[in-house]
């Protein structure tokens, strides 16, 4: 009897212990089930109520079903098609609550005349908050104004410009040009029939721009342009975070990605993991600057910002914003430029003639900053390239209050309003019947570069938020163009500027990269004058 009682007692105790151990799992399962039920109910409620911005128009149906992909390779090309067909150069994608425009008058309205009514807005900031935080590209008001004033003052400094120019010259002389030179005569499994190594020029430019921005902005040298070395985990994480952040903006309802973020599943889980690596890199950068002496230790931008900011999280956001502006946009613009140049060898010949005439043998074809400013045809060719392939294809604001656009389009408070720079470069109403042609001479008058209204060409934005790093970016890109075009012929392999294919991201990136064949040139011949 005593033994039986003991056995029964032990069994009861074991059963109780097992039940208690299962409680957290059962509770978790019930919680997940309840949450999914609530989420499903919310989505069904939205579907039943059919919000006022919902519609069954052809544009919204094509967007939701992706039927546009049967005719267009890229969403941006479909948008350009819609905007060309619109008499007002404005269309409304109701399911995104997004008004898109390629009308320069409307762009002027957004970026200048009614600037206060078209901030970045909380919905935009929420989309990019995990990656960009409180960085300059993701804030409005005092936070934006503080960063802009500080950045503008530092970027205009002659000392910083000289420092940046020296960094770019060093990277060209010590890394980029030798890398291209070595690619001209390799003999391995990747070689083509002409004996030249096939390079992914997009990858090369991304590495080059990464090295430059790290030196200029942080005073650190990652040595990324050594192709024998794998791209750092940070670079991969940054690219993934950029792609997934951009994908959030394509969701018809923010609740979709917000629910994924709450439950840490799918793309949102990958984004969180990528941002964690980005955070680690940014923390290491600031730690290294502190170790080297912080604000008093160097000419780089971060050292100068550290003199005014002590908040480490804020510094992290600034570091990431520098990376987005200084690496991705530069690499995107240069990649598109050399793709176009491969299709237009006459432009390359005209560039070589101008470089020889203006710079002679200055620094073995890598002229000074002052001489770069005198190369009007190079400047025109770069602007023409970015007209067709802007590094940032579109930019969105959110209406702070009800408004009516100059073309008569009514905009309700909270509506996303997007100017589409990629589409604007392909509008006959803006650039004439030859808008699809790569023609640098459209920017020249008597051999001198003549700019147009920034509201017609908003590649660097316009108005109050115009890019503060524009001059430094142009210097870097022109220095690369001069050095590469003078020393090499670049031929794109199985790629054409006529029908590009883009990968998703915050900046324009070619899907599959840009495979090229590189050939070394001898001393440039004269006789090709830039058109006027």
């Amino acid at each position: 009897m005593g033994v039986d009682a003991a056995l029964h007692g032990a069994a009861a105790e074991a059963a109780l212990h097992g039940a208690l151990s299962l409680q957290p799992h059962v509770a978790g399962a019930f919680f997940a089930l309840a949450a999914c039920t609530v989420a499903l109910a919310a989505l069904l409620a939205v579907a039943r109520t059919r919000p006022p911005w919902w519609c069954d128009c052809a544009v919204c149906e094509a967007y939701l079903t992706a039927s546009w992909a049967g005719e267009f390779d890229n969403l941006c090309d479909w948008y350009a098609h819609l905007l060309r067909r619109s008499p007002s150069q404005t269309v409304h994608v109701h399911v995104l609550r997004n008004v898109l425009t390629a009308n320069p008058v409307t762009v002027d309205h957004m970026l200048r005349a009614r600037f206060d009514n078209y901030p970045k807005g909380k919905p935009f900031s929420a989309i990019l908050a995990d990656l960009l935080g409180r960085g300059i590209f993701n804030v409005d008001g005092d936070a934006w104004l503080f960063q802009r004033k500080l950045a503008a003052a530092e970027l205009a400094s002659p000392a910083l410009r000289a420092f940046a120019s020296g960094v770019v010259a060093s990277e060209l002389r010590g890394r980029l040009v030798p890398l291209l030179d070595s690619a001209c005569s390799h003999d391995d499994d990747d070689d083509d029939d002409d004996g030249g190594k096939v390079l992914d020029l997009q990858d090369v430019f991304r590495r080059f721009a990464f090295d430059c921005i790290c030196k200029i902005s942080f005073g650190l040298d990652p040595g990324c342009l050594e192709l024998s070395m794998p791209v750092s985990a940070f670079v991969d994480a940054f690219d993934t975070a950029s792609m997934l952040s951009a994908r959030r903006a394509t969701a018809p309802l923010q609740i979709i990605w917000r629910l994924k973020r709450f439950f840490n599943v799918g793309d949102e889980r990958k984004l969180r993991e990528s941002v964690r690596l980005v955070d680690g890199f940014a923390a290491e950068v600031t730690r290294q600057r502190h170790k080297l002496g912080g604000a008093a230790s160097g000419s780089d931008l971060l050292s100068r910002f550290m003199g005014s900011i002590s908040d480490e999280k804020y510094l992290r956001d600034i570091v990431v914003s520098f990376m987005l502006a200084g690496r991705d946009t530069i690499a995107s613009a240069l990649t598109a430029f050399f793709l176009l140049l491969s299709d237009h060898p006459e432009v390359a010949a005209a560039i070589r003639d101008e470089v020889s005439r203006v710079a002679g043998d200055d620094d073995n074809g890598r002229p000074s900053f002052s001489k770069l400013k005198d190369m009007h045809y190079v400047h025109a060719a770069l602007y023409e390239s970015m007209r067709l392939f802007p590094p940032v294809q579109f930019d969105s604001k959110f209406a702070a209050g009800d408004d009516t656009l100059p073309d008569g389009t009514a905009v309700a408070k909270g509506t996303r309003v997007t100017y589409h720079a990629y589409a604007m470069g392909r509008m006959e109403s803006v650039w004439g019947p030859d808008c699809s042609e790569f023609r640098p001479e459209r920017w020249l008058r008597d051999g001198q570069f003549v700019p147009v209204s920034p509201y017609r060409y908003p590649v660097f934005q316009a108005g109050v938020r115009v890019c503060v790093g524009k001059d430094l970016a142009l210097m870097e890109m022109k220095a690369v163009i001069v050095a590469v075009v003078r020393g090499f012929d670049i031929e794109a392999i199985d790629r054409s500027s006529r029908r590009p294919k883009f990968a998703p991201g915050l900046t324009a990136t070619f899907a599959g990269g840009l495979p090229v064949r590189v050939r070394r040139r001898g001393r440039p011949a004269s006789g090709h004058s830039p058109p006027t």
Side-chain angles (χ1 to χ4, degrees):
M1 184 73 173
V3 173
D4 289 342
L7 287 175
H8 282 298
E13 184 178 350
L16 178 61
H17 182 271
L20 290 174
S21 66
L22 284 174
Q23 275 188 342
H25 301 287
V26 173
F30 274 114
F31 174 77
L33 180 62
C36 289
T37 303
V38 171
L40 180 61
L43 290 174
L44 289 174
V46 169
R48 283 196 302 269
T49 55
R50 294 179 63 82
W53 45 266
W54 187 275
C55 87
D56 296 321
C57 72
V59 170
C60 293
E61 181 182 357
Y63 180 83
L64 289 172
T65 62
S67 61
W68 58 266
E71 185 178 354
F72 301 96
D73 292 328
N74 304 291
L75 184 63
C76 59
D77 288 312
W78 179 55
Y79 282 153
H81 167 73
L82 295 176
L83 290 164
R84 280 193 297 268
R85 291 197 312 173
S86 169
S88 62
Q89 297 104 53
T90 299
V91 296
H92 199 163
V93 185
H94 304 90
V95 292
L96 294 178
R97 207 181 182 193
N98 189 9
V99 173
L100 296 102
T101 187
N103 188 329
V105 177
T106 302
V107 177
D108 178 284
H109 180 82
M110 292 170 56
L111 301 184
R112 184 191 61 82
R114 294 296 313 277
F115 170 77
D116 290 341
N117 194 52
Y118 292 98
K120 284 288 185 181
K122 291 182 179 179
F124 182 92
S125 296
I127 288 171
L128 299 181
D130 290 322
L131 177 60
L132 297 184
R134 293 178 291 160
I136 190 170
F137 301 117
N138 205 40
V139 290
D140 293 302
D142 292 341
W144 165 75
L145 190 59
F146 166 74
Q147 291 183 61
R148 181 176 179 82
K149 284 183 175 180
L150 191 55
E154 300 300 345
L155 290 169
S157 161
L160 183 68
R161 293 193 175 198
F163 174 67
S165 181
V167 166
V168 172
S170 174
E171 284 293 309
L172 284 170
R173 181 171 51 250
R175 286 176 173 161
L176 182 60
V177 170
L179 185 154
L180 296 176
D181 191 65
S182 67
C184 294
S185 56
H186 273 235
D187 184 18
D188 56 32
D189 292 340
D190 291 331
D191 291 355
D192 62 19
D193 294 338
D194 293 335
K197 183 179 176 66
V198 176
L199 283 180
D200 178 359
L201 197 62
Q202 179 168 261
D203 178 58
V204 168
F205 284 143
R206 287 164 77 87
R207 291 170 179 259
F208 170 82
F210 182 64
D211 282 353
C212 285
I213 196 62
C214 283
K215 284 185 173 182
I216 294 169
S217 293
F218 317 135
L220 302 174
D221 180 12
C224 200
L225 201 54
E226 302 292 336
L227 293 190
S228 60
M229 296 176 60
V231 174
S232 71
F234 161 75
V235 174
D236 282 338
F238 190 87
D239 292 342
T240 300
S242 173
M243 176 192 70
L244 296 177
S245 296
R247 192 174 291 174
R248 282 178 170 179
T250 66
L253 295 171
Q254 280 203 12
I255 193 174
I256 295 174
W257 66 262
R258 286 183 181 275
L259 282 172
K260 289 182 178 180
R261 184 176 186 271
F262 180 79
F263 291 112
N264 195 30
V265 297
D267 286 351
E268 290 299 314
R269 181 171 185 170
K270 295 177 184 176
L271 177 59
R272 182 170 296 180
E273 292 168 351
S274 298
V275 168
R276 188 180 299 116
L277 287 174
V278 171
D279 290 347
F281 173 83
E284 179 61 19
V285 165
T286 53
R287 189 186 71 81
Q288 290 289 343
R289 288 314 310 159
H290 282 302
K291 186 176 178 181
L292 293 172
S297 67
S299 301
D300 60 277
L301 275 170
L302 182 58
S303 296
R304 294 163 180 263
F305 269 91
M306 288 172 72
S308 303
I309 299 171
S310 58
D311 184 338
E312 295 295 321
K313 178 64 171 65
Y314 203 3
L315 287 172
R316 174 267 179 211
D317 297 342
I318 291 170
V319 166
V320 175
S321 295
F322 284 161
M323 287 300 312
L324 181 65
R327 186 198 72 142
D328 291 29
T329 57
I330 294 289
S332 174
L334 286 173
T335 303
F337 182 89
F338 281 95
L339 175 60
L340 283 162
L341 214 61
S342 177
D343 291 339
H344 296 85
E346 74 283 358
V347 176
I351 288 173
R352 292 186 188 106
D353 188 76
E354 180 176 68
V355 173
S356 295
R357 177 170 48 83
V358 173
D361 294 325
D362 185 10
D363 195 21
N364 295 318
R366 290 179 286 280
S368 64
F369 182 77
S370 61
K371 288 189 176 180
L372 284 174
K373 293 177 68 175
D374 293 333
M375 296 181 186
H376 292 270
Y377 188 79
V378 172
H379 199 88
L382 179 57
Y383 260 61
E384 179 71 348
S385 172
M386 290 190 292
R387 178 182 70 84
L388 292 169
F389 294 104
V392 180
Q393 295 180 335
F394 61 88
D395 190 43
S396 296
K397 316 294 182 184
F398 282 83
D402 294 345
D403 190 25
T404 301
L405 301 180
D407 60 28
T409 301
V411 174
K413 178 181 179 180
T415 301
R416 178 181 174 189
V417 184
T418 300
Y419 66 87
H420 209 289
Y422 180 89
M424 291 181 75
R426 288 161 168 73
M427 300 287 289
E428 285 194 23
S429 58
V430 180
W431 295 100
D434 64 347
C435 61
S436 62
E437 299 300 317
F438 178 57
R439 205 167 60 83
E441 58 267 27
R442 78 172 74 242
W443 295 88
L444 299 170
R445 299 290 182 273
D446 299 323
Q448 302 291 304
F449 176 82
V450 179
V452 300
S453 165
Y455 306 105
R456 180 181 168 194
Y457 182 81
V459 170
F460 294 98
Q461 288 214 50
V464 181
R465 288 193 86 130
V466 68
C467 176
V468 293
K470 172 182 173 182
D471 290 341
L472 280 181
L474 289 171
M475 177 276 294
E476 181 176 341
M477 291 187 289
K478 288 166 69 175
V480 172
I481 289 167
V482 168
V484 175
V485 172
R486 182 159 180 157
F488 305 94
D489 285 317
I490 306 291
E491 179 187 356
I493 301 172
D494 298 327
R495 292 288 191 279
S496 170
S497 59
R498 290 291 179 182
R499 192 163 182 176
K501 177 69 175 175
F502 297 107
L506 298 177
T507 55
T509 303
F510 292 111
L514 180 60
V516 300
R517 177 188 297 115
V518 184
R519 294 192 181 92
R520 188 184 299 107
R521 290 185 55 81
R523 190 173 180 82
S526 185
H528 298 279
S529 299
T532 57

